[in-house]
């Protein structure tokens, strides 16, 4: 039997639904999701078997105009994911269409000779008659091999996209064991699930001014794991918000992250959180490396 294996990068503007699509395609929660833009900060790999094909799905940070060192590293990670891929999926929020955040991405992709597939997402929320003109407009700016219309949230159209990807990735041996879901270390996965709960349970500027790092990940004799995660925030006020009255907010963040992590790792997890104020963490090279980003000065 001929096997196939290839990298498929998902790129697009912030909040286009890249992480939701990755999780839907992989059938597991690998990339954190929230209604806020710029949730994903680094490349996340999902490993998916489709018949005799191994599809290596790369979720990338949303591409936007960077301001901080953190922003520059996120955008660099997104473009690196696209450059290394056999196929690039340009994911467009069908409701927003060809907006100002999409045009620079199309212009950059047009400079390359890489295989690009156009994927219109959230099509269940748009009048179908508006999709064809949008497809024609986008195809006029960028040479795309195929066009797919999906809803990452409901799963509509995703199976057809996966079947096509399975047939299109290059022939070759598998690069990962068939039962692997991701190449993310468990330590990084733990920190990401904590950060997801910060996004979901806090508002306004707090999520963007916070990061999470796993300080300790120790196997226990009973097969469980003891995990210590430190949350760094930029201001004292953010620390107070995260801790909450009598520690109620940080307990809630820890409980929900622990349940998700236990389910994903398939074993009992004991999660301990600590919050530290560290102004300017998003400009520190060491902090960026700790969350899986290369420095982009």
């Amino acid at each position: 039997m001929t096997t196939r294996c290839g990298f498929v990068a998902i790129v697009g503007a912030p909040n286009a639904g890249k992480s939701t699509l990755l999780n839907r395609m992989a059938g597991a929660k690998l990339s954190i999701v929230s209604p806020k833009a710029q949730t994903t900060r680094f490349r996340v790999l999902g490993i998916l078997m489709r018949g005799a094909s191994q599809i290596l799905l790369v979720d990338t940070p949303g591409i936007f105009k960077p301001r901080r060192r953190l922003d520059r590293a996120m955008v660099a990670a997104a473009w690196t994911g696209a450059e290394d891929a056999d196929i690039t999926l340009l994911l467009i929020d069908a409701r927003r269409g060809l907006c100002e955040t999409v045009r620079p991405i199309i212009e950059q992709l047009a400079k390359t000779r890489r295989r690009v597939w156009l994927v219109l997402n959230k099509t269940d929320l748009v009048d179908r008659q508006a999709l064809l003109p949008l497809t024609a407009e986008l195809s006029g700016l960028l040479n795309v091999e195929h066009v797919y219309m999906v809803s990452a949230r409901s799963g509509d159209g995703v199976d057809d996209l996966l079947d096509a990807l399975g047939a299109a990735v290059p022939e070759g041996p598998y690069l990962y064991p068939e039962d692997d879901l991701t190449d993310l270390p468990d330590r990084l996965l733990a920190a990401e699930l904590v950060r997801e709960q910060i996004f979901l349970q806090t508002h306004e500027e707090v999520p963007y001014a916070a990061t999470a790092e796993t300080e300790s990940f120790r196997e226990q004799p009973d097969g469980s794991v003891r995990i210590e995660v430190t949350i760094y925030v930029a201001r004292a006020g953010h620390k107070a918000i995260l801790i909450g009255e009598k520690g109620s907010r940080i307990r809630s963040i820890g409980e929900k992250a622990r349940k998700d992590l236990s389910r994903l790792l398939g074993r009992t997890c004991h999660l301990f959180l600590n919050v530290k104020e560290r102004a300017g963490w998003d400009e520190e090279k060491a902090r960026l490396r700790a969350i899986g980003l290369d420095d982009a000065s």
Side-chain angles (χ1 to χ4, degrees):
M1 181 175 61
T2 301
T3 61
R4 293 177 175 271
C5 183
F7 287 90
V8 177
I10 308 171
V11 303
N15 232 11
K18 296 180 296 297
S19 297
T20 303
L21 181 61
L22 172 74
N23 293 341
R24 170 67 65 177
M25 294 168 87
K29 186 178 193 174
L30 302 180
S31 194
I32 70 173
V33 177
S34 91
K36 299 179 176 67
Q38 300 169 29
T39 306
T40 300
R41 284 180 175 165
F42 56 88
R43 183 194 65 83
V44 178
L45 183 70
I47 302 164
L48 171 68
M49 298 304 301
R50 197 73 173 179
S53 298
Q54 186 174 75
I55 305 171
L56 306 175
L57 298 165
V58 183
D59 179 25
T60 62
I63 298 170
F64 57 100
K65 188 174 182 179
R67 292 179 298 171
R68 306 170 292 173
R69 185 189 294 269
L70 169 65
D71 299 340
R72 294 192 294 273
M74 288 165 60
V75 172
W79 283 121
T80 299
E83 290 167 3
D84 294 342
D86 296 292
I87 298 171
T88 298
L89 302 183
L90 172 60
L91 193 66
I92 302 291
D93 182 339
R95 297 176 304 173
R96 300 182 66 191
L98 186 58
C99 58
E100 61 182 16
T101 55
V102 171
R103 287 185 181 276
I105 300 171
I106 291 177
E107 290 171 2
Q108 185 68 25
L109 286 174
K111 296 176 184 177
T112 72
R113 294 185 178 181
R114 300 196 173 275
R115 302 172 66 186
V116 178
W117 294 13
L118 174 62
V119 180
L120 298 182
N121 188 29
K122 308 180 185 180
T123 55
D124 54 330
L125 305 177
V126 178
D127 185 341
R128 288 277 173 173
Q129 292 183 340
L131 295 176
L132 288 179
L134 175 59
T135 300
E137 186 178 20
L138 291 166
S139 299
L141 297 173
L142 180 67
N143 183 27
V144 297
E145 281 191 11
H146 302 287
V147 178
Y148 286 87
M149 300 182 184
V150 306
S151 168
R153 182 179 57 84
S154 70
D156 185 43
V158 173
D159 279 338
D160 290 340
L161 175 58
L162 284 172
D163 287 340
L165 288 172
V169 292
E171 291 186 6
Y174 300 151
L175 297 180
Y176 293 89
E178 294 181 46
D179 57 353
D180 278 7
L181 283 176
T182 182
D183 69 339
L184 273 188
D186 291 346
R187 295 173 63 96
L188 201 51
L189 197 57
E192 278 296 275
L193 290 175
V194 169
R195 195 166 65 85
E196 177 180 45
Q197 289 303 319
I198 295 172
F199 266 86
L200 294 176
Q201 297 192 42
T202 62
H203 304 287
E204 297 176 354
E205 78 276 15
V206 174
Y208 303 102
T211 190
E213 294 180 25
T214 300
E215 306 286 353
S216 173
F217 194 103
R218 294 202 298 269
E219 306 279 346
Q220 303 296 98
D222 63 358
S224 65
V225 61
R226 187 183 194 278
I227 307 164
E228 296 178 13
V229 174
T230 297
I231 301 169
Y232 291 100
V233 294
R235 302 175 191 166
H238 295 160
K239 181 176 180 179
I241 292 171
L242 277 177
I243 293 173
E245 187 176 357
K246 296 182 179 179
S248 59
R249 175 66 56 73
I250 199 67
R251 279 197 302 273
S252 176
I253 289 171
E255 286 171 6
K256 292 183 178 179
R258 177 184 55 78
K259 288 179 182 177
D260 284 344
L261 191 57
S262 296
R263 186 162 51 247
L264 204 53
L265 298 184
R267 56 176 167 166
T268 301
C269 296
H270 307 286
L271 180 61
F272 300 87
L273 303 182
N274 183 31
V275 185
K276 293 183 179 180
E277 180 188 352
R278 193 180 186 102
W281 70 261
D282 53 358
E283 294 289 346
E284 294 180 18
K285 294 182 180 181
R287 296 280 76 76
L288 301 188
R289 286 195 296 269
I291 62 174
L293 281 170
D294 293 326
D295 177 42
S297 299

